[in-house]
Amino acid sequence: MLTRKQLELLNFIQTRVARDGVPPSFDEMKDALDLRSKSGIHRLITALEERGFIRRLAHRARAIEIVKLPEALESGEAARAGFNPKVIKGDRIDPPRDALPVAAIDAMEVPLMGRIAAGVPIEAIAHVSSHVAVPGAMLSGRGEHYALEVKGDSMIEAGINEGDVVVIRSQSTADNGDIVVALVEEQEATLKRYYRRGAMIALEAANPAYEPRILREDQVRVQGRLVGLIRTYS
């Protein structure tokens, strides 16, 4: 079951796609639902995606596919007009220039801890789901490493797409500009660029559709730094 706001947003997206052929911008969604900030829209979109009503394409922030409609909308104008999902295709992003092939030799297994949000933060990751083989050359120095599957599109301009597996070196400190796994308020884990601004910490996306998050130092705990990326092409 969807909340009222989730239903309103899904209806607004469907109406705009049917009318214009493209989904609305985050600002348009925010204004239509009378929300104060785009962070509320991000949460609603993530909830709709998790429930299987929409799908976000990896390479463009406004690329949204409507997968299905709830009965509340199917029984209304959408059903009478005929529901025909439309997809705005994103451009392909080539692999980073320094991408390493996975070699058959000198590979090490690291734990795959689950998913990490490159977008709206998700619940903190706390369990090993499987293991993944990583080229030894990708592992940066000594220390423990782990891998995470990326969910979301907020780091696409850093060459990190949804479905990629990022390799993380476990550490609790970071330099300005590092891409880190940050635990926010001991509840949410996210992949972002890290910047210290006086007594505050900025977690910045690599996608202009997402605004930086400015947090107090005691609200952010660095859990690791990005040292490699593995991409599978189907």
Side-chain angles (χ1 to χ4, degrees), residues 105 134 138 171 179 222:
I105 59 173
V134 176
M138 190 179 288
Q171 60 185 70
I179 298 177
V222 174

Side-chain angles (χ1 to χ4, degrees), residues 2-220:
L2 297 180
T3 66
R4 181 175 60 83
K5 283 295 186 184
Q6 290 165 1
L7 191 63
E8 286 179 5
L9 179 59
L10 184 60
N11 185 43
F12 180 63
I13 294 172
Q14 161 60 12
T15 300
R16 289 293 297 272
V17 170
R19 189 190 76 184
D20 302 333
V22 295
S25 69
F26 283 88
D27 283 325
E28 290 170 332
M29 295 181 203
K30 175 177 69 68
D31 293 341
L33 270 68
D34 196 25
L35 297 179
R36 293 183 179 179
S37 70
K38 288 188 286 188
S39 62
I41 295 297
H42 291 310
R43 287 192 292 272
L44 290 172
I45 286 179
T46 297
L48 289 173
E49 186 176 28
E50 290 175 347
R51 288 161 175 77
F53 289 98
I54 66 172
R55 182 184 299 118
R56 285 185 289 184
L57 304 184
H59 306 316
R60 287 179 61 185
R62 288 182 62 177
I64 297 175
E65 174 187 9
I66 298 179
V67 179
K68 63 180 181 180
L69 290 175
E71 292 182 3
L73 293 183
E74 287 181 341
S75 60
E77 292 298 327
R80 290 193 291 272
F83 176 52
N84 182 23
K86 297 183 180 181
V87 182
I88 311 305
K89 295 183 178 180
D91 298 325
R92 178 187 175 123
I93 294 181
D94 293 327
R97 288 179 299 174
D98 55 354
L100 295 174
V102 178
I105 59 173
D106 193 28
M108 300 179 62
E109 282 198 341
V110 300
L112 181 63
M113 302 294 290
R115 285 186 167 187
I116 181 74
V120 182
I122 56 177
E123 291 183 0
I125 296 158
H127 68 280
V128 176
S129 59
S130 61
H131 287 76
V132 62
V134 176
M138 190 179 288
L139 303 182
S140 173
R142 297 181 180 179
E144 296 183 356
H145 293 75
Y146 57 93
L148 296 164
E149 181 185 350
V150 174
K151 179 179 175 62
D153 62 0
S154 75
M155 297 302 290
I156 57 174
E157 291 191 359
I160 302 171
N161 301 332
E162 182 162 13
D164 289 345
V165 172
V166 289
V167 181
I168 306 296
R169 183 182 187 274
S170 233
Q171 60 185 70
S172 59
T173 60
D175 295 326
N176 283 342
D178 284 347
I179 298 177
V180 304
V181 174
L183 185 64
V184 178
E185 295 182 332
E186 299 298 326
Q187 294 181 345
E188 301 169 332
T190 188
L191 187 72
K192 292 289 182 294
R193 285 199 184 276
Y194 172 99
Y195 293 94
R196 178 177 291 277
R197 297 178 179 174
M200 307 297 284
I201 301 298
L203 300 177
E204 294 189 1
N207 182 335
Y210 294 85
E211 297 177 353
R213 298 186 70 188
I214 310 298
L215 301 157
R216 298 191 313 271
E217 184 177 10
D218 62 0
Q219 292 178 295
V220 180

